[in-house]
Amino acid sequence: QECPWWKHKVFEEGEVGLDPAKATIEGWSRYKEGDRPYTVYFSAKFIGKVARHGVWEGGVLMHSRAKSRHSQTEQMGAYFGFPTEEGQTVEFRVAVSLQSFAKARQYLDRESQGRSFDQQVARTRSLWNARLASLEFKTPDPRLRTMLATSLYRAQVMPRDRTGDHPTWPDSAQFWDDHYCLWDTFRTKYPLMTLLDPPMVRDSVMS
């Protein structure tokens, strides 16, 4: 009988808090998957001046409140309001960690480094172009080139290198997470990565 993995993942409790002066929201959620409980932390920052804020619990909106905590099936959340004009955008940056708030903040600072959204897009495009250039493919058909680039991109999105963020392992221990359909990828993705990125395969196996 089929047992989808999401039916075994249970939300136990969580908390979210915000700081209007810093335009930051942080929170954590604790889940249980089988006999393995784990906690996910996040740290988020908006770029803009906050005009209003609040939280909600179980569908009830509470203005100007800065913290909410709930468990089991009750929903919760937090919000900011900004005095924007038509066409204006508000930037939102977020990072997550399986270890702590400190690690989530560290990842947020490391990934953003004061760059604007457009600068981040340009940096991301440059990094992916470098990765996709690892395989040379000559064809007069642009559709085949697009298919190849798309397949290479999707093959490298998962799993993710989370070394240094395991909740109990030493930070030096290899930790690769988000393995999608491992029973299929070992026949397809991993032989490809053995050719294109041997260190990735080595570190993933060690994890």
Side-chain angles (χ1 to χ4, degrees), residues 75-206:
Q75 295 184 343
M76 65 176 181
Y79 74 90
F80 281 141
F82 299 89
T84 58
E85 300 177 355
E86 185 177 355
Q88 182 179 348
T89 60
V90 176
E91 290 189 19
F92 171 70
R93 303 169 181 177
V94 62
V96 299
S97 170
L98 298 175
Q99 196 172 97
S100 64
F101 284 122
K103 271 292 177 67
R105 297 184 196 114
Q106 176 185 330
Y107 294 149
L108 186 62
D109 293 339
R110 186 182 70 187
E111 292 298 319
S112 59
Q113 295 185 358
R115 288 185 286 264
S116 68
F117 179 80
D118 291 336
Q119 290 173 329
Q120 196 76 332
V121 169
R123 175 175 176 269
T124 302
R125 180 179 291 112
S126 176
L127 291 172
W128 271 112
N129 284 338
R131 293 288 293 182
L132 299 178
S134 61
L135 182 62
E136 184 177 356
F137 185 70
K138 297 180 180 180
T139 175
D141 190 342
R143 295 175 301 173
L144 292 179
R145 183 174 297 277
T146 299
M147 290 173 59
L148 175 66
T150 302
S151 298
L152 283 176
Y153 164 75
R154 290 177 176 171
Q156 298 180 79
V157 170
M158 298 169 70
R160 300 178 184 179
D161 184 2
R162 298 187 188 275
T163 300
D165 195 40
H166 194 279
T168 58
W169 294 356
D171 283 357
S172 59
Q174 292 292 336
F175 175 38
W176 286 70
D177 195 16
D178 291 337
H179 290 272
Y180 181 70
C181 295
L182 186 60
W183 52 89
D184 290 331
T185 54
F186 87 93
R187 295 178 178 142
T188 54
K189 171 190 169 73
Y190 277 89
L192 175 65
M193 290 298 105
T194 300
L195 298 174
L196 300 182
D197 194 353
M200 172 267 167
V201 177
R202 176 200 62 205
D203 294 343
S204 180
V205 171
M206 290 179 63

Side-chain angles (χ1 to χ4, degrees), residues 15 25 41 45 54 68 88 96 103 134:
E15 183 176 82
I25 298 179
Y41 302 86
K45 180 174 180 58
S68 173
Q88 182 179 348
V96 299
K103 271 292 177 67
S134 61

Side-chain angles (χ1 to χ4, degrees), residues 1-22:
Q1 184 177 1
E2 183 179 1
C3 296
W5 63 267
W6 61 84
K7 292 186 178 181
H8 299 276
K9 192 184 298 289
V10 179
F11 169 72
E12 293 188 327
E13 61 179 334
E15 183 176 82
V16 62
L18 47 81
D19 186 338
K22 297 180 179 179

